[in-house]
Amino acid sequence: QQQVKQSPQSLIVQKGGISIINCAYENTAFDYFPWYQQFPGKGPALLIAIRPDVSEKKEGRFTISFNKSAKQFSLHIMDSQPGDSATYFCAALGGGGSYIPTFGRGTSLIVHP
Amino acid sequence: ETGVTQSPTHLIKTRGQQVTLRCSSQSGHNTVSWYQQALGQGPQFIFQYYREEENGRGNFPPRFSGLQFPNYSSELNVNALELDDSALYLCASSPQVNTGELFFGEGSRLTVL
Protein backbone atom coordinates (compact mmCIF):
# COMPACT_ATOMS: atom_id res chain seq x y z
CA GLN A 1 0.00 0.00 0.00
CA GLN A 2 1.55 3.22 -1.19
CA GLN A 3 0.45 6.04 1.07
CA VAL A 4 2.40 8.75 -0.75
CA LYS A 5 2.15 8.92 -4.53
CA GLN A 6 4.78 10.97 -6.34
CA SER A 7 4.80 12.15 -9.94
CA PRO A 8 6.31 12.39 -12.44
CA GLN A 9 8.79 9.53 -12.25
CA SER A 10 11.24 11.52 -14.36
CA LEU A 11 11.48 15.13 -15.48
CA ILE A 12 13.67 16.94 -17.97
CA VAL A 13 13.90 20.72 -17.78
CA GLN A 14 15.98 23.32 -19.53
CA LYS A 15 18.31 25.52 -17.52
CA GLY A 16 16.37 28.47 -16.12
CA GLY A 17 13.05 26.67 -16.29
CA ILE A 18 10.70 25.68 -13.50
CA SER A 19 10.69 22.10 -12.22
CA ILE A 20 7.49 20.91 -10.56
CA ILE A 21 7.13 17.63 -8.68
CA ASN A 22 3.84 16.57 -7.13
CA CYS A 23 2.90 14.31 -4.24
CA ALA A 24 -0.43 13.11 -2.92
CA TYR A 25 -1.04 11.46 0.43
CA GLU A 26 -3.87 9.47 1.95
CA ASN A 27 -3.42 9.65 5.70
CA THR A 28 -4.99 12.87 7.00
CA ALA A 29 -3.07 12.46 10.26
CA PHE A 30 0.22 13.33 8.54
CA ASP A 31 1.48 16.67 9.78
CA TYR A 32 5.01 17.06 8.43
CA PHE A 33 5.95 16.98 4.75
CA PRO A 34 9.65 17.07 3.89
CA TRP A 35 11.40 16.90 0.55
CA TYR A 36 14.73 15.15 0.16
CA GLN A 37 17.34 15.54 -2.58
CA GLN A 38 19.59 12.60 -3.46
CA PHE A 39 22.61 12.72 -5.73
CA PRO A 40 24.02 9.49 -7.21
CA GLY A 41 26.08 7.58 -4.67
CA LYS A 42 24.91 9.75 -1.79
CA GLY A 43 22.25 9.51 0.88
CA PRO A 44 19.15 11.70 0.74
CA ALA A 45 19.53 15.21 2.19
CA LEU A 46 16.69 17.24 3.66
CA LEU A 47 15.90 20.08 1.27
CA ILE A 48 12.81 21.81 2.62
CA ALA A 49 9.78 20.87 4.71
CA ILE A 50 6.32 22.19 5.51
CA ARG A 51 3.63 21.72 8.13
CA PRO A 52 -0.07 21.91 7.20
CA ASP A 53 -0.70 25.18 9.01
CA VAL A 54 0.75 27.08 6.04
CA SER A 55 0.01 26.80 2.32
CA GLU A 56 3.45 27.71 1.04
CA LYS A 57 7.05 27.78 2.18
CA LYS A 58 9.92 29.24 0.21
CA GLU A 59 13.65 28.79 0.70
CA GLY A 60 15.74 30.35 -2.03
CA ARG A 61 14.77 28.81 -5.35
CA PHE A 62 12.80 26.01 -3.69
CA THR A 63 9.12 26.37 -2.80
CA ILE A 64 6.67 23.88 -1.31
CA SER A 65 2.98 24.43 -2.07
CA PHE A 66 0.55 22.61 0.20
CA ASN A 67 -3.15 21.93 -0.41
CA LYS A 68 -4.63 20.35 2.70
CA SER A 69 -8.13 19.82 1.30
CA ALA A 70 -6.77 18.02 -1.77
CA LYS A 71 -4.16 16.15 0.29
CA GLN A 72 -1.48 17.23 -2.13
CA PHE A 73 1.82 19.05 -1.94
CA SER A 74 4.37 19.98 -4.54
CA LEU A 75 7.96 21.12 -4.91
CA HIS A 76 8.76 23.96 -7.28
CA ILE A 77 12.35 24.64 -8.30
CA MET A 78 12.64 28.05 -9.86
CA ASP A 79 15.45 28.94 -12.27
CA SER A 80 16.48 25.27 -12.42
CA GLN A 81 20.22 24.68 -12.75
CA PRO A 82 22.22 21.67 -13.99
CA GLY A 83 23.45 21.25 -10.40
CA ASP A 84 19.85 20.56 -9.39
CA SER A 85 19.95 17.32 -11.38
CA ALA A 86 19.21 14.66 -8.77
CA THR A 87 16.45 12.41 -7.51
CA TYR A 88 13.85 14.10 -5.33
CA PHE A 89 11.73 12.30 -2.76
CA CYS A 90 8.70 13.61 -0.98
CA ALA A 91 7.74 12.17 2.37
CA ALA A 92 4.92 12.43 4.87
CA LEU A 93 4.89 11.61 8.54
CA GLY A 94 3.46 12.40 11.92
CA GLY A 95 0.08 12.02 13.53
CA GLY A 96 -0.97 9.25 15.87
CA GLY A 97 2.35 9.39 17.69
CA SER A 98 4.32 8.01 14.76
CA TYR A 99 7.14 10.00 13.27
CA ILE A 100 8.23 7.37 10.78
CA PRO A 101 8.25 8.86 7.28
CA THR A 102 6.59 7.30 4.29
CA PHE A 103 8.53 8.19 1.16
CA GLY A 104 7.32 8.63 -2.39
CA ARG A 105 9.04 6.62 -5.10
CA GLY A 106 11.15 9.53 -6.26
CA THR A 107 11.49 11.80 -9.30
CA SER A 108 14.63 11.82 -11.36
CA LEU A 109 15.25 15.41 -12.46
CA ILE A 110 17.62 16.27 -15.27
CA VAL A 111 18.32 19.93 -16.00
CA HIS A 112 19.90 20.49 -19.39
CA PRO A 113 22.44 23.34 -19.75
CA GLU B 1 30.41 18.54 13.32
CA THR B 2 30.74 15.00 11.98
CA GLY B 3 27.88 13.72 9.88
CA VAL B 4 26.43 10.23 9.71
CA THR B 5 29.01 7.68 8.62
CA GLN B 6 28.33 4.15 7.44
CA SER B 7 30.51 1.16 6.78
CA PRO B 8 31.23 -0.68 4.66
CA THR B 9 30.33 1.34 1.57
CA HIS B 10 30.04 -1.69 -0.69
CA LEU B 11 29.92 -5.41 -0.06
CA ILE B 12 29.05 -8.60 -1.87
CA LYS B 13 27.56 -11.65 -0.18
CA THR B 14 26.03 -14.91 -1.29
CA ARG B 15 22.58 -16.25 -0.51
CA GLY B 16 22.26 -17.65 3.00
CA GLN B 17 25.11 -15.61 4.43
CA GLN B 18 24.82 -13.03 7.18
CA VAL B 19 25.83 -9.37 7.05
CA THR B 20 26.43 -6.61 9.60
CA LEU B 21 26.28 -2.96 8.61
CA ARG B 22 27.48 -0.18 10.89
CA CYS B 23 26.45 3.41 11.43
CA SER B 24 27.84 6.26 13.49
CA SER B 25 25.22 8.89 14.16
CA GLN B 26 25.76 12.61 13.91
CA SER B 27 27.10 14.22 17.05
CA GLY B 28 24.32 14.96 19.52
CA HIS B 29 21.77 12.72 17.81
CA ASN B 30 20.19 10.02 19.98
CA THR B 31 17.90 8.36 17.45
CA VAL B 32 18.95 6.12 14.58
CA SER B 33 16.79 4.70 11.81
CA TRP B 34 17.60 2.21 9.09
CA TYR B 35 16.15 2.20 5.60
CA GLN B 36 16.35 -0.10 2.61
CA GLN B 37 16.42 1.57 -0.78
CA ALA B 38 16.00 -0.67 -3.80
CA LEU B 39 17.10 0.64 -7.17
CA GLY B 40 14.66 3.25 -8.46
CA GLN B 41 12.61 3.27 -5.27
CA GLY B 42 12.21 5.46 -2.24
CA PRO B 43 13.68 4.44 1.11
CA GLN B 44 11.67 1.83 3.02
CA PHE B 45 11.71 2.04 6.81
CA ILE B 46 13.24 -1.00 8.53
CA PHE B 47 13.39 0.08 12.19
CA GLN B 48 14.32 2.87 14.54
CA TYR B 49 16.37 2.84 17.75
CA TYR B 50 16.11 5.36 20.56
CA ARG B 51 18.20 5.08 23.71
CA GLU B 52 19.25 1.54 22.79
CA GLU B 53 15.67 0.28 22.44
CA GLU B 54 13.77 -0.52 19.23
CA ASN B 55 11.22 2.26 18.79
CA GLY B 56 9.29 1.19 15.74
CA ARG B 57 9.63 -1.37 12.99
CA GLY B 58 8.57 -1.51 9.38
CA ASN B 59 7.34 -4.47 7.38
CA PHE B 60 10.57 -6.47 7.45
CA PRO B 61 11.02 -10.07 8.64
CA PRO B 62 12.76 -10.94 11.92
CA ARG B 63 15.97 -11.87 10.11
CA PHE B 64 16.51 -8.10 9.98
CA SER B 65 17.70 -7.08 13.43
CA GLY B 66 19.57 -4.21 14.95
CA LEU B 67 21.37 -2.75 17.90
CA GLN B 68 22.06 0.70 19.24
CA PHE B 69 25.03 1.26 21.51
CA PRO B 70 25.45 3.72 24.40
CA ASN B 71 27.31 6.13 22.12
CA TYR B 72 24.22 6.03 19.81
CA SER B 73 26.03 4.21 17.02
CA SER B 74 24.08 1.34 15.53
CA GLU B 75 24.27 -1.93 13.65
CA LEU B 76 21.95 -3.58 11.17
CA ASN B 77 22.20 -7.35 10.93
CA VAL B 78 20.60 -9.41 8.19
CA ASN B 79 20.60 -13.20 8.44
CA ALA B 80 19.93 -15.80 5.76
CA LEU B 81 20.46 -13.31 2.94
CA GLU B 82 18.16 -13.51 -0.07
CA LEU B 83 18.70 -12.12 -3.56
CA ASP B 84 16.00 -9.49 -2.94
CA ASP B 85 18.03 -8.09 -0.06
CA SER B 86 20.32 -6.48 -2.63
CA ALA B 87 19.85 -2.77 -2.05
CA LEU B 88 21.33 0.41 -0.63
CA TYR B 89 20.99 0.40 3.15
CA LEU B 90 20.72 3.86 4.61
CA CYS B 91 21.21 4.92 8.18
CA ALA B 92 19.68 8.19 9.37
CA SER B 93 20.13 9.92 12.70
CA SER B 94 17.85 12.46 14.33
CA PRO B 95 18.43 14.95 17.15
CA GLN B 96 15.37 13.64 18.95
CA VAL B 97 12.93 10.78 18.56
CA ASN B 98 9.76 12.50 17.39
CA THR B 99 11.08 14.67 14.65
CA GLY B 100 10.87 14.51 10.91
CA GLU B 101 14.44 15.71 10.57
CA LEU B 102 16.53 12.85 9.25
CA PHE B 103 20.22 13.14 8.50
CA PHE B 104 21.26 10.31 6.21
CA GLY B 105 24.59 8.67 5.69
CA GLU B 106 25.80 7.75 2.22
CA GLY B 107 24.66 4.18 2.61
CA SER B 108 26.02 0.67 2.30
CA ARG B 109 25.49 -0.96 -1.08
CA LEU B 110 24.80 -4.68 -0.55
CA THR B 111 24.81 -7.11 -3.44
CA VAL B 112 23.60 -10.66 -2.81
CA LEU B 113 24.62 -13.24 -5.41
Side-chain angles (χ1 to χ4, degrees):
Chain A
Q1 180 184 7
Q2 186 185 1
Q3 295 190 49
V4 178
K5 294 183 179 180
Q6 184 172 345
S7 63
Q9 186 174 351
S10 62
L11 180 62
I12 299 175
V13 174
Q14 291 296 122
K15 179 182 175 181
I18 302 174
S19 304
I20 302 175
I21 305 171
N22 302 298
C23 282
Y25 62 96
E26 298 172 2
N27 187 348
T28 55
F30 288 144
D31 64 4
Y32 185 71
F33 303 89
W35 284 89
Y36 287 84
Q37 179 188 56
Q38 185 175 28
F39 292 105
K42 303 290 186 181
L46 180 64
L47 188 62
I48 186 173
I50 196 169
R51 293 196 181 274
D53 53 343
V54 296
S55 60
E56 185 175 282
K57 183 174 182 180
K58 183 176 181 179
E59 290 185 2
R61 297 185 294 109
F62 300 91
T63 300
I64 298 179
S65 296
F66 185 80
N67 186 330
K68 188 173 181 178
S69 61
K71 295 187 288 185
Q72 294 176 348
F73 59 109
S74 60
L75 176 69
H76 296 236
I77 306 175
M78 312 300 288
D79 187 26
S80 298
Q81 299 296 312
D84 297 330
S85 298
T87 300
Y88 293 80
F89 294 96
C90 64
L93 67 161
S98 171
Y99 260 74
I100 307 301
T102 299
F103 285 87
R105 290 187 173 177
T107 296
S108 175
L109 171 66
I110 296 174
V111 181
H112 283 311
Chain B
E1 184 177 83
T2 305
V4 177
T5 58
Q6 293 186 242
S7 63
T9 55
H10 296 83
L11 70 166
I12 299 174
K13 294 285 188 178
T14 57
R15 273 189 306 174
Q17 285 189 311
Q18 179 265 344
V19 67
T20 297
L21 307 178
R22 295 177 176 83
C23 171
S24 293
S25 60
Q26 187 165 321
S27 177
H29 289 190
N30 60 17
T31 303
V32 173
S33 304
W34 286 91
Y35 292 81
Q36 181 194 67
Q37 186 177 23
L39 203 60
Q41 301 292 320
Q44 297 294 313
F45 173 71
I46 302 175
F47 41 58
Q48 182 185 79
Y49 279 85
Y50 171 62
R51 293 185 176 178
E52 303 177 57
E53 297 282 335
E54 188 178 286
N55 186 52
R57 187 179 182 93
N59 189 27
F60 281 81
R63 58 189 185 84
F64 286 78
S65 63
L67 284 173
Q68 186 181 31
F69 301 100
N71 65 354
Y72 304 132
S73 66
S74 178
E75 285 183 356
L76 165 66
N77 299 290
V78 187
N79 294 322
L81 284 167
E82 300 177 0
L83 296 179
D84 285 349
D85 295 334
S86 295
L88 181 68
Y89 288 86
L90 294 163
C91 171
S93 72
S94 306
Q96 50 189 340
V97 62
N98 287 327
T99 175
E101 285 189 275
L102 298 174
F103 295 81
F104 284 91
E106 296 192 349
S108 294
R109 171 73 63 187
L110 171 65
T111 301
V112 182
L113 302 177

